[in-house]
Amino acid sequence: MNSVTDTRATASSAAIAVEEAHTAHNYHPLEVVVAHGEGAWLTDVEGRKYLDCLAAYSAVNFGHGHPLLVAAAKAQLDRITLTSRAFHNDQLGPFAAALAQLAGKDMVLPMNTGAEAVESGIKVARAWGYRVKGVKPNQAKIIVMDGNFHGRTTTIISFSNDDQARADFGPFTPGFVSVPYGDAAALEAAIDENTVAVLVEPIQGEAGILIPPADYLPRVRAITTKHNVLFIADEIQSGLGRTGATFQCDNSNVIPDLYLLGKALGGGIVPVSAVVGNADILGVLHAGEHGSTFGGNPLAAAVGLAVVKLLATGGPQERARVLGERLQGGIRSLIGHGVIAVRGAGLWVGVDIDPAIGTGRAVCEKLMERGVLVKDTHGSTIRFAPPIVATVDDLDFAVAQLEAVLKEMAL
Ligand SMILES: Cc1ncc(COP(=O)(O)O)c(C=O)c1O
């Protein structure tokens, strides 16, 4: 190693060492220390460039440092950033109105993280069940799906099937029943007079980008309507352009009662989440029953409004659809060459690696060495979700690197 390389390696390992020493070890990051991002590309502390094929789990759908989003944030930073909801601010109304219009709904409950949107949706559904549907006190039941991922709070992990997410974190919150994902008959059989809602990811992202049968979401809609049960779509990862539509539900021509949104709603700049629905449901909440100091803050609202304006053009959705075909086609060509299955919707692709070749993590590490950052899930699956601003050349580069890594590992 010459002295220049020495200094570079030192910068990276020093940054990792200090982080490891002073943060809880609840993640197992790849050994790359990012210092800069622009569009679909990241640069590490040693000046190496990487194509970002994770986009912060779809929070960076519009790319790093999108000029319109950064401009909205910078302008708002100079005005006012936080008031709490004890006072009104002049950004929340326009943001909520625009988001409600984008979703074709009446109103918005603004929060910060995805898990908070899920928690809020659960509370709204329970209150609706007692106050509108007439469910007996404390009997409300919400149906969830096997393999779900909705976040990390104690209530949310109460209905996870992932042992690692639950171990040693009980006791758990009651009131949830889990049924197989994609099985509409099992869902209907689980409904009783206490059921207030069905909570479903239109595509299960963390489970490996699992796409249910084409008639599943329409059947969920029909069943929930028939039994007077709310249909809550967690579009925190699937929504806002990623799958080639504003919402993945759009791809099935389905309108849920409540959308749960997060991640990309904050433009990769600030945490912004929301529950979006009509007044007959969200209107059940009264003052003092729910809230968050940061929810609906002016900085978040200004960035959120800029995100909604971007999506209202339809441009990101169309780009994700067209580029998605390119990326999916490229990765599908590797089936039989180290890839055993590919599932995709728009620019969101789950790739099952042949376990005989190596783990998903090993593939991610080798891709990192070749300038592509991706993340594994569930052992041998990796997912590609590059920012929608990526170019055709970027996607072809990612596929070429994957092909090279698989060849290398098969040797
Ligand atoms: C579908 C879904 N819901 C909820 C969440 C939780 O979001 P957050 O990490 O912002 O709490 C995630 C995060 O990955 C998600 O994918």
Side-chain angles (χ1 to χ4, degrees):
M1 224 187 255
N2 65 31
S3 63
V4 175
T5 329
D6 248 354
T7 322
R8 287 177 166 181
T10 309
S12 179
S13 35
I16 292 171
V18 74
E19 184 181 313
E20 289 286 300
H22 299 289
T23 58
H25 294 172
N26 54 329
Y27 277 89
H28 180 31
L30 290 176
E31 298 217 337
V32 55
V33 183
V34 177
H36 184 263
E38 190 178 342
W41 286 84
L42 300 171
T43 309
D44 73 7
V45 284
E46 288 142 21
R48 281 183 296 248
K49 296 211 173 297
Y50 304 85
L51 180 64
D52 181 1
C53 282
L54 181 66
Y57 302 95
S58 291
V60 187
N61 274 0
F62 313 109
H64 297 276
H66 189 291
L68 291 177
L69 305 183
V70 170
K74 282 187 173 165
Q76 192 57 39
L77 277 173
D78 287 335
R79 293 181 70 233
I80 177 82
T81 51
L82 185 61
T83 57
S84 88
R85 296 284 305 277
F87 314 128
H88 295 279
N89 72 70
D90 65 0
Q91 298 298 308
L92 179 55
F95 164 55
L99 180 56
Q101 188 181 10
L102 184 78
K105 298 286 186 191
D106 298 336
M107 51 171 68
V108 165
L109 169 59
M111 300 297 284
N112 311 286
T113 63
E116 284 174 293
V118 175
E119 289 275 352
S120 304
I122 290 169
K123 286 175 72 176
V124 167
R126 286 179 169 182
W128 174 87
Y130 300 127
R131 295 170 188 175
V132 177
K133 184 168 174 170
V135 171
K136 290 201 186 66
N138 288 320
Q139 298 301 307
K141 181 169 117 178
I142 294 178
I143 300 177
V144 299
M145 304 304 146
D146 294 351
N148 69 71
F149 184 86
H150 297 284
R152 299 289 195 173
T153 64
T154 36
T155 285
I156 293 172
I157 61 162
S158 297
F159 53 83
S160 166
N161 313 114
D162 179 348
D163 290 340
Q164 213 190 352
R166 289 164 56 92
D168 294 335
F169 299 129
F172 299 114
T173 308
F176 301 95
V177 172
S178 189
V179 299
Y181 185 59
D183 185 342
L187 164 65
E188 187 162 27
I191 292 177
D192 63 24
E193 74 278 8
N194 294 324
T195 307
V196 296
V198 171
L199 172 60
V200 58
E201 294 160 88
I203 288 177
Q204 285 191 332
E206 297 307 296
I209 311 188
L210 301 188
I211 302 174
D215 67 345
Y216 181 62
L217 295 176
R219 289 183 71 192
V220 172
R221 177 67 283 180
I223 292 165
T224 48
T225 302
K226 177 175 153 200
H227 294 278
N228 192 26
V229 164
L230 300 181
F231 175 179
I232 308 177
D234 180 345
E235 294 257 17
I236 288 166
Q237 195 164 168
S238 60
L240 308 182
R242 172 59 54 196
T243 66
T246 305
F247 305 110
Q248 171 57 14
C249 283
D250 296 346
N251 286 330
S252 297
N253 289 316
V254 154
I255 300 175
D257 297 301
L258 295 175
Y259 291 103
L260 307 181
L261 304 176
K263 295 196 191 279
L265 195 55
I269 298 176
V270 278
V272 186
S273 69
V275 183
V276 186
N278 280 337
D280 57 343
I281 302 167
L282 275 183
V284 299
L285 286 184
H286 302 133
E289 290 183 334
H290 190 60
S292 154
T293 302
F294 289 91
N297 72 71
L299 179 60
V303 174
L305 177 60
V307 165
V308 172
K309 282 184 180 165
L310 210 57
L311 285 164
T313 66
Q317 297 90 318
E318 177 62 10
R319 190 178 171 89
R321 198 185 59 72
V322 173
L323 288 184
E325 282 171 17
R326 179 89 178 195
L327 181 63
Q328 289 184 43
I331 297 178
R332 284 210 165 89
S333 72
L334 303 178
I335 292 178
H337 304 278
V339 168
I340 52 177
V342 177
R343 295 168 298 279
L347 214 42
W348 203 21
V349 191
V351 186
D352 293 341
I353 303 295
D354 183 347
I357 284 188
T359 61
R361 173 83 187 190
V363 174
C364 292
E365 282 167 354
K366 291 208 172 292
L367 279 170
M368 181 182 76
E369 285 164 21
R370 290 173 165 274
V372 176
L373 294 182
V374 284
K375 184 73 178 70
D376 57 307
T377 182
H378 294 282
S380 54
T381 299
I382 57 177
R383 57 263 172 88
F384 285 79
I388 298 167
V389 294
T391 64
V392 166
D393 285 350
D394 293 340
L395 303 180
D396 292 350
F397 170 74
V399 173
Q401 300 319 307
L402 178 61
E403 184 177 11
V405 163
L406 294 174
K407 266 198 191 131
E408 198 181 301
M409 291 176 74
L411 290 178

Short mmCIF file of all heavy atoms in Angstrom, two decimals, residues 27 57 112-118 149-153 156 201-206 234-238 260 262-263 271 273 348 383, ligand 1:
data_model
loop_
_atom_site.label_atom_id
_atom_site.label_comp_id
_atom_site.label_asym_id
_atom_site.label_seq_id
_atom_site.Cartn_x
_atom_site.Cartn_y
_atom_site.Cartn_z
N TYR A 27 -27.54 -2.26 13.68
CA TYR A 27 -27.41 -2.42 12.22
C TYR A 27 -26.08 -3.11 11.92
O TYR A 27 -25.17 -3.12 12.76
CB TYR A 27 -27.44 -1.05 11.51
CG TYR A 27 -28.84 -0.54 11.26
CD1 TYR A 27 -29.50 0.25 12.22
CD2 TYR A 27 -29.52 -0.84 10.09
CE1 TYR A 27 -30.79 0.71 12.01
CE2 TYR A 27 -30.81 -0.39 9.86
CZ TYR A 27 -31.44 0.38 10.81
OH TYR A 27 -32.71 0.82 10.60
N TYR A 57 -33.78 2.76 1.17
CA TYR A 57 -35.04 2.00 1.23
C TYR A 57 -36.19 2.80 0.62
O TYR A 57 -37.29 2.84 1.17
CB TYR A 57 -35.38 1.59 2.67
CG TYR A 57 -34.32 0.75 3.34
CD1 TYR A 57 -33.36 1.35 4.16
CD2 TYR A 57 -34.28 -0.62 3.17
CE1 TYR A 57 -32.38 0.59 4.78
CE2 TYR A 57 -33.31 -1.39 3.79
CZ TYR A 57 -32.36 -0.78 4.59
OH TYR A 57 -31.40 -1.52 5.20
N ASN A 112 -43.93 11.81 11.29
CA ASN A 112 -42.53 11.94 10.89
C ASN A 112 -41.99 10.66 10.25
O ASN A 112 -41.66 10.63 9.09
CB ASN A 112 -41.68 12.33 12.10
CG ASN A 112 -42.30 13.50 12.86
OD1 ASN A 112 -42.23 14.63 12.40
ND2 ASN A 112 -42.92 13.23 13.99
N THR A 113 -41.91 9.61 11.03
CA THR A 113 -41.36 8.35 10.51
C THR A 113 -42.47 7.43 10.02
O THR A 113 -43.66 7.62 10.34
CB THR A 113 -40.59 7.60 11.61
OG1 THR A 113 -41.51 7.25 12.64
CG2 THR A 113 -39.47 8.45 12.17
N GLY A 114 -42.06 6.41 9.27
CA GLY A 114 -43.02 5.44 8.78
C GLY A 114 -43.73 4.72 9.91
O GLY A 114 -44.96 4.56 9.89
N ALA A 115 -42.96 4.30 10.91
CA ALA A 115 -43.57 3.57 12.03
C ALA A 115 -44.65 4.42 12.70
O ALA A 115 -45.70 3.90 13.11
CB ALA A 115 -42.51 3.16 13.03
N GLU A 116 -44.41 5.71 12.79
CA GLU A 116 -45.44 6.59 13.39
C GLU A 116 -46.70 6.65 12.54
O GLU A 116 -47.81 6.75 13.07
CB GLU A 116 -44.89 8.01 13.55
CG GLU A 116 -43.94 8.19 14.69
CD GLU A 116 -43.35 9.59 14.64
OE1 GLU A 116 -42.61 9.89 13.70
OE2 GLU A 116 -43.67 10.39 15.53
N ALA A 117 -46.52 6.62 11.22
CA ALA A 117 -47.70 6.61 10.35
C ALA A 117 -48.49 5.33 10.58
O ALA A 117 -49.73 5.34 10.64
CB ALA A 117 -47.30 6.75 8.89
N VAL A 118 -47.78 4.21 10.72
CA VAL A 118 -48.46 2.93 10.96
C VAL A 118 -49.18 2.96 12.31
O VAL A 118 -50.37 2.60 12.41
CB VAL A 118 -47.44 1.76 10.90
CG1 VAL A 118 -48.12 0.44 11.25
CG2 VAL A 118 -46.79 1.67 9.52
N PHE A 149 -43.75 -6.24 7.13
CA PHE A 149 -42.81 -5.33 7.81
C PHE A 149 -43.44 -3.94 7.82
O PHE A 149 -43.65 -3.34 6.77
CB PHE A 149 -41.44 -5.27 7.13
CG PHE A 149 -40.49 -4.40 7.93
CD1 PHE A 149 -39.76 -4.93 8.98
CD2 PHE A 149 -40.38 -3.03 7.68
CE1 PHE A 149 -38.93 -4.13 9.76
CE2 PHE A 149 -39.56 -2.22 8.46
CZ PHE A 149 -38.84 -2.78 9.49
N HIS A 150 -43.72 -3.45 9.03
CA HIS A 150 -44.34 -2.12 9.14
C HIS A 150 -43.55 -1.20 10.05
O HIS A 150 -44.03 -0.11 10.38
CB HIS A 150 -45.78 -2.24 9.65
CG HIS A 150 -46.70 -2.99 8.74
ND1 HIS A 150 -47.22 -2.45 7.58
CD2 HIS A 150 -47.20 -4.26 8.81
CE1 HIS A 150 -48.01 -3.35 6.98
NE2 HIS A 150 -48.00 -4.45 7.70
N GLY A 151 -42.38 -1.64 10.53
CA GLY A 151 -41.60 -0.77 11.41
C GLY A 151 -41.16 -1.51 12.66
O GLY A 151 -41.27 -2.74 12.74
N ARG A 152 -40.68 -0.74 13.64
CA ARG A 152 -39.97 -1.35 14.77
C ARG A 152 -40.51 -1.00 16.14
O ARG A 152 -39.85 -1.28 17.14
CB ARG A 152 -38.51 -0.89 14.71
CG ARG A 152 -37.77 -1.32 13.45
CD ARG A 152 -37.51 -2.79 13.44
NE ARG A 152 -36.51 -3.14 12.43
CZ ARG A 152 -36.01 -4.35 12.31
NH1 ARG A 152 -36.38 -5.30 13.14
NH2 ARG A 152 -35.14 -4.62 11.38
N THR A 153 -41.64 -0.33 16.24
CA THR A 153 -42.15 0.00 17.58
C THR A 153 -42.68 -1.27 18.24
O THR A 153 -42.90 -2.29 17.59
CB THR A 153 -43.30 1.02 17.50
OG1 THR A 153 -44.38 0.40 16.80
CG2 THR A 153 -42.88 2.30 16.80
N ILE A 156 -45.91 -2.48 16.69
CA ILE A 156 -45.75 -3.01 15.32
C ILE A 156 -45.04 -4.37 15.33
O ILE A 156 -45.45 -5.29 14.61
CB ILE A 156 -45.01 -1.98 14.43
CG1 ILE A 156 -45.91 -0.75 14.23
CG2 ILE A 156 -44.63 -2.59 13.09
CD1 ILE A 156 -45.24 0.43 13.52
N GLU A 201 -49.33 -4.43 3.01
CA GLU A 201 -48.37 -3.81 2.09
C GLU A 201 -48.77 -4.28 0.68
O GLU A 201 -48.82 -5.49 0.45
CB GLU A 201 -46.95 -4.30 2.37
CG GLU A 201 -46.36 -3.89 3.70
CD GLU A 201 -45.20 -4.82 4.09
OE1 GLU A 201 -44.07 -4.54 3.70
OE2 GLU A 201 -45.46 -5.82 4.78
N PRO A 202 -49.00 -3.36 -0.25
CA PRO A 202 -49.38 -3.78 -1.61
C PRO A 202 -48.31 -4.66 -2.26
O PRO A 202 -48.61 -5.51 -3.10
CB PRO A 202 -49.55 -2.46 -2.35
CG PRO A 202 -49.85 -1.47 -1.28
CD PRO A 202 -49.07 -1.91 -0.08
N ILE A 203 -47.05 -4.42 -1.89
CA ILE A 203 -45.95 -5.34 -2.21
C ILE A 203 -45.17 -5.47 -0.91
O ILE A 203 -44.92 -4.45 -0.25
CB ILE A 203 -45.03 -4.77 -3.31
CG1 ILE A 203 -45.74 -4.82 -4.67
CG2 ILE A 203 -43.71 -5.53 -3.39
CD1 ILE A 203 -44.95 -4.21 -5.83
N GLN A 204 -44.80 -6.69 -0.51
CA GLN A 204 -44.02 -6.81 0.73
C GLN A 204 -42.54 -6.58 0.42
O GLN A 204 -41.86 -7.47 -0.12
CB GLN A 204 -44.24 -8.18 1.37
CG GLN A 204 -45.60 -8.29 2.05
CD GLN A 204 -45.73 -9.54 2.91
OE1 GLN A 204 -45.08 -10.56 2.64
NE2 GLN A 204 -46.56 -9.47 3.93
N GLY A 205 -42.06 -5.39 0.78
CA GLY A 205 -40.71 -4.98 0.43
C GLY A 205 -39.63 -5.72 1.21
O GLY A 205 -38.78 -6.42 0.65
N GLU A 206 -39.68 -5.58 2.54
CA GLU A 206 -38.63 -6.18 3.37
C GLU A 206 -38.66 -7.70 3.29
O GLU A 206 -37.66 -8.36 3.52
CB GLU A 206 -38.75 -5.71 4.82
CG GLU A 206 -38.57 -4.21 5.01
CD GLU A 206 -37.28 -3.70 4.39
OE1 GLU A 206 -36.20 -4.11 4.85
OE2 GLU A 206 -37.34 -2.90 3.45
N ASP A 234 -50.28 0.14 3.45
CA ASP A 234 -48.98 0.69 3.84
C ASP A 234 -48.15 0.86 2.57
O ASP A 234 -47.55 -0.08 2.07
CB ASP A 234 -48.29 -0.25 4.84
CG ASP A 234 -46.93 0.29 5.28
OD1 ASP A 234 -46.40 1.23 4.62
OD2 ASP A 234 -46.38 -0.21 6.28
N GLU A 235 -48.16 2.10 2.07
CA GLU A 235 -47.42 2.43 0.84
C GLU A 235 -46.14 3.20 1.19
O GLU A 235 -45.62 3.97 0.39
CB GLU A 235 -48.30 3.27 -0.09
CG GLU A 235 -49.51 2.53 -0.62
CD GLU A 235 -49.35 2.07 -2.09
OE1 GLU A 235 -48.20 2.04 -2.58
OE2 GLU A 235 -50.38 1.76 -2.70
N ILE A 236 -45.65 2.98 2.42
CA ILE A 236 -44.47 3.72 2.88
C ILE A 236 -43.26 3.43 2.00
O ILE A 236 -42.48 4.33 1.69
CB ILE A 236 -44.22 3.40 4.37
CG1 ILE A 236 -45.31 4.08 5.21
CG2 ILE A 236 -42.82 3.81 4.82
CD1 ILE A 236 -45.42 3.60 6.64
N GLN A 237 -43.13 2.18 1.55
CA GLN A 237 -42.00 1.86 0.68
C GLN A 237 -42.45 1.71 -0.78
O GLN A 237 -41.70 2.05 -1.70
CB GLN A 237 -41.28 0.59 1.16
CG GLN A 237 -39.92 0.44 0.52
CD GLN A 237 -38.98 -0.56 1.18
OE1 GLN A 237 -37.97 -0.90 0.61
NE2 GLN A 237 -39.27 -1.04 2.36
N SER A 238 -43.66 1.24 -1.00
CA SER A 238 -44.11 0.98 -2.38
C SER A 238 -44.64 2.22 -3.07
O SER A 238 -44.71 2.26 -4.31
CB SER A 238 -45.21 -0.10 -2.37
OG SER A 238 -46.32 0.32 -1.60
N LEU A 260 -50.92 4.86 4.11
CA LEU A 260 -49.83 5.20 5.03
C LEU A 260 -48.62 5.54 4.16
O LEU A 260 -48.20 4.72 3.33
CB LEU A 260 -49.50 4.02 5.94
CG LEU A 260 -50.67 3.41 6.71
CD1 LEU A 260 -50.18 2.27 7.60
CD2 LEU A 260 -51.39 4.46 7.55
N GLY A 262 -44.62 7.57 3.84
CA GLY A 262 -43.43 8.02 4.58
C GLY A 262 -42.28 8.09 3.62
O GLY A 262 -42.44 8.43 2.44
N LYS A 263 -41.12 7.75 4.11
CA LYS A 263 -39.90 7.67 3.29
C LYS A 263 -39.78 8.80 2.27
O LYS A 263 -39.37 9.89 2.61
CB LYS A 263 -39.81 6.30 2.64
CG LYS A 263 -39.65 5.16 3.68
CD LYS A 263 -39.19 3.89 3.03
CE LYS A 263 -39.26 2.67 3.94
NZ LYS A 263 -38.16 2.55 4.86
N PRO A 271 -37.50 13.57 7.79
CA PRO A 271 -38.52 12.52 7.94
C PRO A 271 -39.92 13.15 7.85
O PRO A 271 -40.24 14.05 8.63
CB PRO A 271 -38.28 11.96 9.34
CG PRO A 271 -37.07 12.63 9.88
CD PRO A 271 -36.81 13.85 9.05
N SER A 273 -43.98 11.72 7.31
CA SER A 273 -44.92 10.62 7.04
C SER A 273 -46.33 11.14 7.21
O SER A 273 -46.54 12.25 7.72
CB SER A 273 -44.64 9.43 7.98
OG SER A 273 -44.99 9.75 9.31
N TRP A 348 -38.05 -1.38 -8.74
CA TRP A 348 -37.93 -2.08 -7.44
C TRP A 348 -37.85 -3.57 -7.76
O TRP A 348 -38.83 -4.17 -8.20
CB TRP A 348 -39.19 -1.78 -6.63
CG TRP A 348 -39.05 -1.93 -5.16
CD1 TRP A 348 -37.92 -1.91 -4.42
CD2 TRP A 348 -40.15 -2.07 -4.25
NE1 TRP A 348 -38.23 -2.03 -3.08
CE2 TRP A 348 -39.59 -2.13 -2.96
CE3 TRP A 348 -41.53 -2.15 -4.38
CZ2 TRP A 348 -40.37 -2.26 -1.82
CZ3 TRP A 348 -42.31 -2.28 -3.25
CH2 TRP A 348 -41.73 -2.34 -1.97
N ARG A 383 -32.06 -6.65 -3.13
CA ARG A 383 -33.04 -5.83 -3.87
C ARG A 383 -32.35 -4.63 -4.46
O ARG A 383 -31.44 -4.06 -3.87
CB ARG A 383 -34.23 -5.41 -3.00
CG ARG A 383 -33.91 -4.64 -1.71
CD ARG A 383 -33.87 -5.50 -0.58
NE ARG A 383 -33.46 -5.15 0.74
CZ ARG A 383 -34.22 -4.66 1.68
NH1 ARG A 383 -35.40 -4.26 1.43
NH2 ARG A 383 -33.76 -4.52 2.89
C1 LIG B 1 -43.75 -0.94 4.37
C2 LIG B 1 -43.05 -0.22 5.49
N1 LIG B 1 -43.78 0.30 6.49
C3 LIG B 1 -43.19 0.96 7.51
C4 LIG B 1 -41.83 1.13 7.57
C5 LIG B 1 -41.21 1.85 8.73
O1 LIG B 1 -40.70 3.09 8.36
P1 LIG B 1 -39.63 3.84 9.28
O2 LIG B 1 -38.36 3.07 9.20
O3 LIG B 1 -39.52 5.21 8.69
O4 LIG B 1 -40.20 3.85 10.66
C6 LIG B 1 -41.04 0.60 6.56
C7 LIG B 1 -39.57 0.73 6.59
O5 LIG B 1 -38.82 0.07 5.91
C8 LIG B 1 -41.66 -0.09 5.49
O6 LIG B 1 -40.94 -0.62 4.49
#
